[in-house]
Amino acid sequence: MQQETAAPKARNVVRVRKPEWLKIRLGDNATFTDTKQTIEGHGLNTICHSGRCPNQGECWSAGTATFMIGGAVCTRACRFCNTLSGKNPAALDPLEPLKVAQSIKKMELRHAVITSVDRDDLPDYGAQHWVETIEAIKRTTPEVTIEVLIPDFNGRLDLVDKIIACQPKIISHNLETIRRLTPEVRHVATYETSLSVLERIAASGIPAKTGIMLGLGETEDEVLELMDDARARGVSVMTIGQYLQPTRRHLPVVEYIHPKQFARLRTLGLEKGIRHIESGPLVRSSYHAERHVLD
């Protein structure tokens, strides 16, 4: 990780070789197969698959998954994300909330994580579909704690309030990267809008969680600035992981960050007052999410 701020890097950088210590565990047990069949049997989407998450094998083998609602096509085209994008995604499936709830029950989850594509084509950006999904889960499995990873709803805090009113256990919204790199990395979303969403969540009393990627050209000082910004808005849970280029069409990796640096950032973040931090090369937003439930 660079030690001083530089101008944004041109994206014709030399591709760096993945280090030997960055290994991905594949799933091959019966639970992995059962999880896969449950998800596919209900015709559901997961960010595990669409985002090419490196932890899919580990999580599915443990019987967990992050459900992705709102369809399989995102109306944004962030340069780090492998989810399909398009301007005219299919209509929302009115049965999807129930299908998600039934899958959670069948998988006997104790903690369920839900995310979604961005639906900028809809008047409410998909907020009501979110509400119906959370309510369906609570009706079907009231004992399950719910974590939601929400979009920014184009800065509409009244729509964020609709999610808050459903009272999930944790509400997460990802900053993804530092302030300087946000315009290059994310599509439509802005750094300040994301901070406003996190501040609204934290003000409600529900734990606010955010996640970022490293290896896009950020400096340590910039990451620490992001931590200060997040903490000032009330963020209490954070995940820090290594960016991995999904395909050659996406942003290249500028640097692979050593595990020791991830450990250092975790320590510094905790010292800043962030209550719980998962930090490591393969950490993703929902990685070990059950550990993030705060009393």
Side-chain angles (χ1 to χ4, degrees):
M1 181 173 290
Q2 305 168 52
Q3 294 303 310
E4 58 184 48
T5 303
K9 288 180 174 290
R11 289 306 177 181
N12 58 350
V13 296
V14 176
R15 297 184 185 277
V16 292
R17 183 183 297 275
K18 188 179 293 185
E20 290 298 321
W21 43 261
L22 187 58
K23 296 180 179 180
I24 297 172
R25 174 186 171 188
L26 299 178
D28 57 3
N29 65 8
T31 304
F32 178 94
T33 302
D34 289 344
T35 302
K36 183 174 185 291
Q37 290 176 345
T38 297
I39 292 166
E40 292 179 350
H42 284 100
L44 297 173
N45 299 295
T46 67
I47 194 63
C48 320
H49 178 71
S50 69
R52 298 185 68 178
C53 178
N55 301 307
Q56 180 177 337
E58 178 182 348
C59 295
W60 284 25
S61 293
T64 65
T66 299
F67 297 94
M68 186 175 73
I69 64 173
V73 177
C74 184
T75 52
R76 300 185 185 180
C78 297
R79 298 186 66 199
F80 68 90
C81 183
N82 192 58
T83 301
L84 294 173
S85 63
K87 294 182 179 179
N88 298 297
L92 294 173
D93 177 3
L95 296 179
E96 186 177 54
L98 180 59
K99 292 176 182 177
V100 170
Q102 290 174 337
S103 294
I104 289 170
K105 183 174 183 178
K106 184 174 181 180
M107 293 166 68
E108 299 182 341
L109 299 183
R110 295 188 301 274
H111 183 68
V113 184
I114 316 297
T115 188
S116 78
V117 292
D118 284 287
R119 291 300 302 256
D120 295 335
D121 58 311
L122 301 174
D124 72 345
Y125 308 113
Q128 183 58 35
H129 195 68
W130 266 104
V131 170
E132 292 169 4
T133 301
I134 297 170
E135 290 178 345
I137 297 169
K138 287 193 168 187
R139 285 195 307 270
T140 306
T141 54
E143 72 283 0
V144 170
T145 53
I146 302 171
E147 177 176 330
V148 295
L149 171 55
I150 62 172
D152 64 6
F153 298 117
N154 274 282
R156 287 273 304 277
L157 297 182
D158 60 313
L159 298 179
V160 177
D161 288 341
K162 294 185 70 170
I163 310 302
I164 291 170
C166 293
Q167 291 291 294
K169 189 69 173 179
I170 295 179
I171 304 180
S172 180
H173 174 70
N174 285 345
L175 282 163
E176 304 293 5
T177 189
I178 59 163
R179 184 189 298 272
R180 173 175 59 87
L181 292 176
T182 293
E184 185 177 4
V185 173
R186 302 168 75 191
H187 180 68
V188 179
T190 70
Y191 188 81
E192 289 299 332
T193 296
S194 288
L195 287 177
S196 71
V197 170
L198 290 166
E199 185 172 32
R200 189 65 155 237
I201 296 164
S204 75
I206 296 174
K209 174 181 171 181
T210 196
I212 62 169
M213 306 168 288
L214 302 183
L216 288 163
E218 68 291 323
T219 69
E220 180 179 281
D221 285 346
E222 288 174 314
V223 175
L224 296 180
E225 178 188 24
L226 179 150
M227 287 179 171
D228 287 335
D229 290 340
R231 186 69 195 108
R233 271 66 174 192
V235 169
S236 56
V237 185
M238 187 174 186
T239 60
I240 309 172
Q242 169 72 50
Y243 168 65
L244 298 174
Q245 184 183 28
T247 74
R248 288 184 174 268
R249 299 190 306 274
H250 293 82
L251 289 171
V253 175
V254 174
E255 182 182 8
Y256 286 106
I257 310 302
H258 194 277
K260 289 183 180 179
Q261 179 64 10
F262 279 102
R264 169 179 164 80
L265 289 172
R266 179 179 183 275
T267 298
L268 293 173
L270 292 173
E271 289 175 352
K272 289 177 178 293
I274 300 174
R275 184 170 172 182
H276 189 105
I277 301 176
E278 292 277 350
S279 183
L282 297 182
V283 167
R284 294 298 181 264
S285 299
S286 58
Y287 186 60
H288 292 162
E290 69 281 356
R291 298 179 182 176
H292 307 164
V293 177
L294 306 177
D295 296 325

